[in-house]
Amino acid sequence: MPREFALLDALVPTLFLAFLVSVVSHTLLDRIMGRCGIYRHVWHPPLFRLSVFVCIFGAFGLLVLR
Amino acid sequence: MSVCGADTVKSPFGTVWRELLFWGRTDGLDWIFVFKIILAAFLAMWISMQLRLDQPRTAMMTAVIVMQQQTGLVLVKSIYRIGATIAGILVGLLLLGLFAQEPVLYVLGLAVWVGLCTAGSAFYRNFRSYGCVLAGYSAAMMGQFSIPEPTAFFSIASTRLTEITLGILCAGVVSDVVFPRRLSDAITSNVQNRYREFIAFIRASLSGAAGRAELDSMRLRLVGNVLSLESIRSNAVLEDPEVRGRDLRLRKLNSEFMAVTTTFSSFQHLLKRLTKNATPAGLALTGLWESFGETVVTKGEIPANADAAHQAARRIAAFRAVLGRRIEEVRKNITADGDPQTALDFATAVELLHRFLRELHAYTQTYATLPNAENEPNTPDDIDFSVRTDPVVALLSGGRAFVGIIVIGWFWIASAWPYGTSALTFVAIASALFASAPDPSRNTNRMFIGHLAGLVAAFAYKFLVMPDMDGFALLCASMLPFLMVGLYLRTRPGLVDIGFGYTVFFIQMTNPSNTMQFNPVDFINDGCGVLVGVVVAGVLYRTLIPVSGSWLKRRLARQIRHQVIMACFAPLAGLRNRFESGTRDLLHKQAAVQKIADEQDRRLLALMFSVVEIGRAVIHLRQDAGSLRMPQPLADSVQDVLSSTALFFRRPTATFHDAALDRVTSAIKTIRLETESAAACACPRNVLNRMLASLHLIRTALLDEDVLVAVTADSPSANLLGVIPHAA
């Protein structure tokens, strides 16, 4: 995939798109996990959520930049 | 080794441990917060230096500004900050695109925009207000950086946006991950404090030990408490799915709390009026009331958790059960002498006491069930909080900001002052930031002190310390003590503005970046420009329609009086809550400092409470009247009462006061006739009695000297005190 794309003649990094996609998918996943009560069994929920987000973003980022 | 020896070895450690725990729960939390902010700021600085952004200070400042004690607040503030920055940058782009060569038109356009935003910030509450502030000064700030080279505008704008987003992300992550504090905890402690304060208030007014000023300030605190819970609740929705689940119950809690405080103050007023002349009803009621105090309030501790609240609710229920019997016992003595006035006084007070207990019971029960996770099945009707703001006052603050920009802009253009843009930016910031504050001139004073201290510290740091620092770690280490001072001041309640001004200005002037520039002359000129901007804003706050002026207070009094007119005529659905929250909001806007400065403030407070009392009685009257099929004369006289009361509050003059009093008295007579005549209508007795009590409450309130003084004090007509002897 290209590293940058032109949005109205402005160059935008593709990684930014990956970031947006990860935000959306993380929000969905977060809702589902909250509904299932997974966070009640986690030691530090915010840290866990951040780590999940980093994993998702990392995966998408690798997909884009590979 | 003796036991004694072991004890002496152990106890100092125990003491130290206890002291440490105590420190950790009070000051320790503040220090954690300070280090969280510093961590977020350094993180933002490091990332923006790695990304080679132009001004890492923007990211740092954003992290410092956005950071709040609770995570939910950070998230909400971030959202408003991003949105408002984009809006401000777009307007800045428009202004520069149109008038880059025309400074006069540019200043004019900027003044209009900042004026509008300031008006918006004075009109709205909480973070919406903050968003307006930011949209205003972002446009000014874009001008500050782009006027020297207008063609670089787009890159400046996009870098600024990137840096702000970066700062927000750092603040959000740090506040959520490192020792997070939840808004739901803040809610819990707010609700507990309020229960404690309310019970303390009941206790203080029962014992008669507290003076009037003390009771007034307690009342004001209760009002402030209602609004702060509302503000936390509306922000917590973003943070925590659990709070979302309890949202309805929190709103219910607030609404019930307002109801119970109003009923309590009505009852208290009535009791005061009755006991002033030592009427038999007054004496009997004092006895009943004291027995309530013994059973419920003074017994044991004030309930601090849900279990205790359950028990308190049970005790209140038990007291309600025996209250009926005791009232009957007392009533025999009272009605024995056959004075109808006394009987009516007594009946009204009993009605209020019953209502108070019912509401206190409901409130305590909601409080007790608050921690339960599951949702309430039955949704109460409309209990949204309603806010009231005076659009004219908001527009005036906008006008003040407009004047500020014009003054500085004129000076800038006329003198070709190279640092005029800094002054322009900061007059925009200072006049928008404090537009909705209760005492803006004091805030600008403190901001000036903070900026001055920040300037001195930044000068010392930048030209004496910074050149010797090699590498990022040393840079952070050397900045740390300077930041710690300012951020610690920020956690102290009275010094927030100083700490804020110091920290932000220190970062702004130090301006750490990949390629440093050291230019002392430029530094001092720029700093002076900023200080001039703040001073001009402060002078304008003081001179141009000052908030503490009597004109504004008269206007506020008129608005508070207007609430009664609303109670008389507005549609009934959800009216009680709308009325109560609106009235409290009006007062809080003025008295957010929670202190009573002068006689006029005290009158405003008295006015608010009498308005709440009369308005509530009017609403109850309308509700009861609406639930019945009344005979025509009765319906007419109730309508007369409503219109004449509304008229009196619209124009508080002696004539309208007499008219309102006449109508209320004749309505009382009509109901009396209706209940006593043999051919009574099919109306249920208890509803008629309730209406009688409401009418009587309105009447006694209208006759009360304090209420009269409060209502009429700020009206253009003369004082009504002369009227009272013949009216009574």
Side-chain angles (χ1 to χ4, degrees):
Chain A
M1 268 197 228
R3 287 185 172 235
E4 285 177 328
F5 66 97
L7 181 75
L8 302 174
D9 291 343
L11 284 182
V12 178
T14 320
L15 211 53
F16 180 64
L17 267 193
F19 182 79
L20 289 184
V21 172
S22 347
V23 167
V24 172
S25 35
H26 179 251
T27 313
L28 285 177
L29 195 65
D30 191 47
R31 283 279 157 82
I32 294 169
M33 288 198 289
R35 192 61 63 79
C36 300
I38 288 177
Y39 291 128
R40 255 175 271 150
H41 307 288
V42 172
W43 164 65
H44 192 326
L47 192 61
F48 178 75
R49 282 159 88 182
L50 180 71
S51 315
V52 170
F53 178 76
V54 170
C55 292
I56 295 175
F57 183 44
F60 278 116
L62 284 179
L63 217 66
V64 168
L65 296 183
R66 190 162 48 94
Chain B
M1 286 229 221
S2 68
V3 180
C4 241
D7 264 348
T8 47
V9 170
K10 207 174 161 188
S11 64
F13 279 113
T15 323
V16 168
W17 179 239
R18 267 199 304 279
E19 282 294 312
L20 265 181
L21 270 185
F22 178 73
W23 181 86
R25 256 184 249 117
T26 50
D27 261 12
L29 286 179
D30 289 339
W31 278 112
I32 288 178
F33 180 53
V34 166
F35 283 107
K36 274 166 76 173
I37 303 179
I38 293 179
L39 181 64
F42 284 159
L43 192 66
M45 177 166 80
W46 183 73
I47 296 179
S48 33
M49 281 181 170
Q50 292 294 313
L51 295 178
R52 310 227 164 267
L53 297 178
D54 292 336
Q55 289 191 323
R57 68 174 175 187
T58 311
M60 281 179 89
M61 266 154 62
T62 303
V64 170
I65 292 171
V66 164
M67 201 66 157
Q68 305 276 316
Q69 294 266 15
Q70 282 94 11
T71 310
L73 296 182
V74 179
L75 299 180
V76 180
K77 201 170 180 182
S78 310
I79 288 177
Y80 278 103
R81 192 169 169 93
I82 293 191
T85 306
I86 292 177
I89 284 177
L90 286 179
V91 171
L93 180 68
L94 189 73
L95 287 176
L96 275 173
L98 290 175
F99 312 124
Q101 311 297 326
E102 293 283 342
V104 178
L105 288 178
Y106 173 76
V107 167
L108 208 63
L110 188 66
V112 169
W113 172 246
V114 173
L116 282 179
C117 289
T118 307
S121 85
F123 188 74
Y124 291 116
R125 285 306 134 87
N126 301 335
F127 288 120
R128 210 177 284 180
S129 153
Y130 172 73
C132 289
V133 171
L134 205 64
Y137 77 70
S138 288
M141 220 165 218
M142 285 326 296
Q144 182 190 357
F145 298 120
S146 329
I147 280 184
E149 37 175 347
T151 45
F153 182 88
F154 188 76
S155 74
I156 290 177
S158 59
T159 316
R160 187 172 159 77
L161 204 56
T162 316
E163 281 157 352
I164 284 180
T165 319
L166 180 66
I168 286 171
L169 282 179
C170 292
V173 167
V174 169
S175 78
D176 202 22
V177 172
V178 183
F179 296 112
R181 278 178 79 186
R182 309 259 130 215
L183 265 181
S184 37
D185 301 339
I187 289 180
T188 313
S189 71
N190 175 298
V191 169
Q192 278 176 6
N193 277 342
R194 158 204 294 215
Y195 201 90
R196 204 170 300 134
E197 273 173 11
F198 182 53
I199 299 287
F201 176 62
I202 295 181
R203 207 183 257 180
S205 40
L206 261 181
S207 66
R212 182 167 174 191
E214 202 178 333
L215 284 182
D216 276 353
S217 72
M218 276 172 124
R219 271 191 187 154
L220 210 51
R221 223 173 19 244
L222 290 176
V223 172
N225 201 306
V226 168
L227 288 151
S228 77
L229 179 66
E230 172 60 22
S231 117
I232 303 178
R233 184 198 64 76
S234 57
N235 289 322
V237 170
L238 257 179
E239 177 198 83
D240 205 333
E242 221 194 304
V243 175
R244 237 169 289 154
R246 286 188 293 172
D247 192 47
L248 185 68
R249 209 168 311 149
L250 284 172
R251 276 189 300 168
K252 192 171 154 206
L253 195 74
N254 234 356
S255 150
E256 280 172 353
F257 182 69
M258 288 190 289
V260 75
T261 42
T262 308
T263 313
F264 178 67
S265 84
S266 299
F267 179 73
Q268 204 195 353
H269 274 158
L270 191 63
L271 200 62
K272 201 177 73 192
R273 282 169 213 147
L274 292 178
T275 46
K276 201 153 53 181
N277 304 328
T279 54
L283 289 177
L285 278 169
T286 315
L288 277 178
W289 182 235
E290 271 163 6
S291 69
F292 165 71
E294 280 159 25
T295 36
V296 182
V297 182
T298 49
K299 187 178 180 182
E301 285 291 295
I302 292 163
N305 55 29
D307 279 346
H310 268 304
Q311 278 170 13
R314 259 198 299 269
R315 279 208 301 275
I316 294 169
F319 183 77
R320 281 179 70 188
V322 293
L323 182 68
R325 211 180 57 230
R326 298 182 68 158
I327 286 174
E328 285 316 310
E329 280 169 17
V330 185
R331 197 197 296 272
K332 271 182 218 138
N333 300 338
I334 299 228
T335 43
D337 59 0
D339 177 23
Q341 192 59 39
T342 314
L344 192 53
D345 278 342
F346 187 71
T348 309
V350 164
E351 175 64 36
L352 278 178
L353 188 59
H354 273 303
R355 191 193 297 163
F356 171 70
L357 286 174
R358 195 169 57 234
E359 284 167 354
L360 185 67
H361 186 240
Y363 174 67
T364 312
Q365 252 181 346
T366 313
Y367 172 60
T369 53
L370 197 62
N372 297 359
E374 77 272 12
N375 237 326
E376 200 104 314
N378 53 335
T379 51
D381 66 327
D382 177 23
I383 48 170
D384 276 339
F385 200 87
S386 89
V387 288
R388 292 262 178 294
T389 327
D390 190 345
V392 175
V393 173
L395 277 178
L396 283 175
S397 349
R400 198 191 291 128
F402 179 84
V403 172
I405 300 267
I406 293 287
V407 167
I408 290 273
W410 169 77
F411 184 70
W412 170 52
I413 295 167
S415 65
W417 182 27
Y419 297 92
T421 45
S422 308
L424 208 58
T425 309
F426 272 80
V427 80
I429 293 179
S431 51
L433 203 55
F434 303 125
S436 54
D439 188 358
S441 60
R442 197 181 51 176
N443 291 23
T444 35
N445 272 355
R446 292 194 175 155
M447 186 173 166
F448 178 79
I449 296 173
H451 276 349
L452 193 63
L455 188 70
V456 173
F459 189 84
Y461 174 71
K462 190 165 180 180
F463 297 107
L464 301 178
V465 183
M466 214 173 181
D468 296 329
M469 294 300 135
D470 187 21
F472 185 77
L474 272 181
L475 180 71
C476 289
S478 59
M479 275 179 107
L480 189 67
F482 287 95
L483 289 179
M484 267 164 63
V485 175
L487 291 174
Y488 184 70
L489 288 184
R490 191 184 144 178
T491 62
R492 305 284 96 192
L495 304 171
V496 178
D497 293 324
I498 296 183
F500 220 80
Y502 169 88
T503 320
V504 170
F505 207 48
F506 177 78
I507 297 174
Q508 154 112 3
M509 295 314 288
T510 319
N511 194 7
S513 56
N514 285 326
T515 46
M516 287 296 301
Q517 287 170 342
F518 294 97
N519 183 351
V521 177
D522 188 60
F523 180 97
I524 291 175
N525 276 328
D526 197 22
C528 289
V530 169
L531 292 181
V532 167
V534 177
V535 167
V536 168
V539 169
L540 283 178
Y541 275 130
R542 232 166 252 265
T543 50
L544 211 67
I545 319 164
V547 176
S548 50
S550 57
W551 179 80
L552 279 183
K553 281 184 182 161
R554 269 210 304 280
R555 221 187 130 74
L556 184 69
R558 195 159 71 221
Q559 271 192 308
I560 293 181
R561 281 206 313 268
H562 198 86
Q563 290 287 101
V564 175
I565 302 170
M566 180 184 114
C568 289
F569 298 124
L572 265 178
L575 178 62
R576 187 186 63 72
N577 193 58
R578 238 176 324 131
F579 167 75
E580 294 215 22
S581 54
T583 317
R584 278 173 174 75
D585 188 66
L586 268 178
L587 181 81
H588 184 69
K589 185 83 181 159
Q590 182 62 29
V593 272
Q594 307 197 351
K595 69 177 173 67
I596 299 154
D598 55 8
E599 191 50 38
Q600 212 175 8
D601 281 351
R602 190 163 298 122
R603 277 207 302 265
L604 268 182
L605 190 71
L607 173 65
M608 191 212 95
F609 277 99
S610 44
V611 158
V612 167
E613 215 171 289
I614 293 181
R616 179 98 191 264
V618 165
I619 293 173
H620 278 294
L621 179 70
R622 286 181 62 196
Q623 276 168 344
D624 286 330
S627 71
L628 296 178
R629 282 178 62 83
M630 290 183 298
Q632 199 53 40
L634 190 53
D636 285 346
S637 68
V638 167
Q639 205 53 46
D640 278 350
V641 167
L642 293 182
S643 50
S644 62
T645 312
L647 196 59
F648 171 57
F649 274 87
R650 195 189 302 275
R651 309 194 48 189
T653 61
T655 331
F656 292 133
H657 177 256
D658 284 354
L661 210 55
D662 276 353
R663 297 286 190 279
V664 176
T665 317
S666 75
I668 291 178
K669 268 196 202 115
T670 320
I671 294 192
R672 274 261 178 80
L673 284 177
E674 202 64 49
T675 42
E676 280 161 11
S677 68
C681 66
C683 307
R685 271 297 167 85
N686 60 339
V687 181
L688 284 181
N689 279 341
R690 276 213 302 273
M691 283 172 66
L692 207 55
S694 305
L695 283 170
H696 185 61
L697 207 58
I698 298 176
R699 196 180 109 87
T700 36
L702 283 177
L703 280 175
D704 191 346
E705 285 178 32
D706 289 350
V707 172
L708 263 184
V709 173
V711 171
T712 55
D714 292 312
S715 76
S717 71
N719 205 322
L720 280 192
L721 272 179
V723 183
I724 292 175
H726 94 88

